[in-house]
Amino acid sequence: MQFIVIAIVTIALSLCVFGLVERRGAMLVRLDGRVLLMALIFGAVFLAASCAGYGLGKWILKSDLGGRQIFWIDLVSGLILIGAGSRLLLRALSRDSFLEHRMETVDIRHDTLLCLKSCVPDLMAGVVCGLLEVSFGGLMAAVFCGDLAAAAGGYTFGRANGSTLGRGCWAVSGALLCGLGVALQIA
């Protein structure tokens, strides 16, 4: 079960990052070393958000839990995932417009602020994984590698193909998180 949770959470969070970064990559004139630096920043910030969430989830579990309280942990975990997934689905369905302006290279300051504003799903997924007592090392390695690869791929894909997959990535990401939340309610 732990492997399935880690895999679904990692895929969902990576798709969220890819959709976000692809829009920024569509505005790039050229790719350089800043793309890799920014991908590392995305991986590190989202890793920190996941670690903070995991710590919060484990802190909540410090109390002595009986069989009845385990039901509530699964219920709360599922609702958190459904909430985070619904937020991503609404983002995918919203009709926002973005003004495209060409950038010579990656704007580290702007993209870092964008990264900080967008790390809520990672924080919520970290809380859920802490509550479910998922393997910390496996989760953090998967989240960091997945987000790093998604950020680098998003810049590259966006530069080559424009912003074509962003909404779809957010929709799939939200659906995966909602599906995992529902599966926790059923199980």
Side-chain angles (χ1 to χ4, degrees):
M1 179 70 175
Q2 283 194 14
F3 176 75
I4 294 170
V5 170
I6 290 174
I8 291 173
V9 165
T10 301
I11 292 167
L13 296 178
S14 297
L15 285 172
C16 180
V17 171
F18 184 87
L20 177 72
V21 173
E22 180 201 28
R23 276 188 159 187
R24 297 293 294 168
M27 296 183 246
L28 287 176
V29 173
R30 64 183 169 92
L31 299 173
D32 59 4
R34 289 181 177 209
V35 170
L36 181 58
L37 175 64
M38 199 60 228
L40 285 169
I41 291 172
F42 266 96
V45 167
F46 286 6
L47 175 67
S50 296
C51 285
Y54 191 89
L56 180 62
K58 291 299 270 187
W59 178 75
I60 293 169
L61 285 179
K62 273 190 168 183
S63 64
D64 188 28
L65 299 173
R68 183 174 173 185
Q69 291 168 329
I70 298 296
F71 166 77
W72 290 107
I73 289 172
D74 288 343
L75 179 70
V76 169
S77 297
L79 291 176
I80 289 171
L81 286 174
I82 290 169
S86 298
R87 182 174 178 252
L88 289 171
L89 284 171
L90 288 174
R91 186 175 188 180
L93 297 174
S94 69
R95 293 284 177 201
D96 63 336
S97 61
F98 80 101
L99 301 173
E100 184 174 338
H101 66 281
R102 302 305 279 170
M103 300 183 304
E104 188 66 31
T105 61
V106 174
D107 183 1
I108 301 281
R109 187 180 62 117
H110 183 271
D111 286 6
T112 302
L113 290 174
L114 182 66
C115 175
L116 290 171
K117 286 193 259 183
S118 303
C119 65
V120 173
D122 284 74
L123 179 72
M124 293 296 110
V127 169
V128 168
C129 289
L131 288 172
L132 297 176
E133 296 182 309
V134 173
S135 168
F136 179 76
L139 175 70
M140 295 307 135
V143 165
F144 178 74
C145 292
D147 288 345
L148 174 74
Y155 279 118
T156 305
F157 185 86
R159 166 69 179 90
N161 301 313
S163 180
T164 57
L165 297 178
R167 291 186 193 278
C169 288
W170 289 328
V172 171
S173 176
L176 284 172
L177 290 178
C178 286
L180 182 59
V182 169
L184 285 174
Q185 302 306 310
I186 294 171

